[in-house]
Amino acid sequence: MEWVEDVFYGAVTKGVNDTTVGVFKAACLACIASLAVLLYICWNNYPELITHCVFALTLSIFLYAIMFWFLNEIGTVSPAEQRAELFGDQKVTVEGKPADTATAATPKASQAKKVE
């Protein structure tokens, strides 16, 4: 259930993570599929609603396309970076995963400078 936490972090912090994008994509595709089924049902049974169904389907496809273009332009943030922003006490490595705080706080011997 870690993906639920990732979606929550994507909702309450800056940026968007890949998990939130995946959930949003699934919701948009489900909306498009349900509108396509509605159009199919209206095609033979309710011809007066075809215009409305086509408009709603076109609108949802356009919304899907424009949102994912926008998300492509701004990029995504890792969930670890969002956790660090939310809680403020975690170190984040270059890969986006939380670093071990015990090893991240102590410099290596080769990096330590002597103070005279």
Side-chain angles (χ1 to χ4, degrees):
M1 296 296 287
E2 185 177 329
W3 67 273
V4 175
E5 290 178 3
D6 292 345
V7 171
F8 174 75
Y9 296 144
V12 297
T13 59
K14 294 182 206 172
V16 62
N17 58 43
D18 289 330
T19 308
T20 306
V21 171
V23 169
F24 183 70
K25 186 181 288 188
C28 285
L29 290 176
C31 176
I32 290 171
S34 66
L35 287 171
V37 169
L38 182 64
L39 178 63
Y40 176 75
I41 291 170
C42 288
W43 198 265
N44 292 325
N45 301 331
Y46 306 101
E48 65 274 4
L49 295 178
I50 291 175
T51 306
H52 294 88
C53 291
V54 167
F55 179 74
L57 184 61
T58 304
L59 194 62
S60 65
I61 291 171
F62 179 72
L63 177 66
Y64 177 80
I66 200 81
M67 284 303 296
F68 283 101
W69 170 81
F70 180 70
L71 289 174
N72 236 0
E73 291 295 315
I74 63 170
T76 57
V77 179
S78 73
E81 290 176 22
Q82 290 178 325
R83 274 188 220 99
E85 179 185 336
L86 188 62
F87 299 117
D89 58 349
Q90 294 181 350
K91 304 266 189 244
V92 178
T93 63
V94 177
E95 298 85 24
K97 297 180 181 171
D100 183 19
T101 54
T103 59
T106 54
K108 294 181 182 177
S110 61
Q111 294 175 345
K113 293 183 179 180
K114 292 183 179 180
V115 179
E116 295 178 13

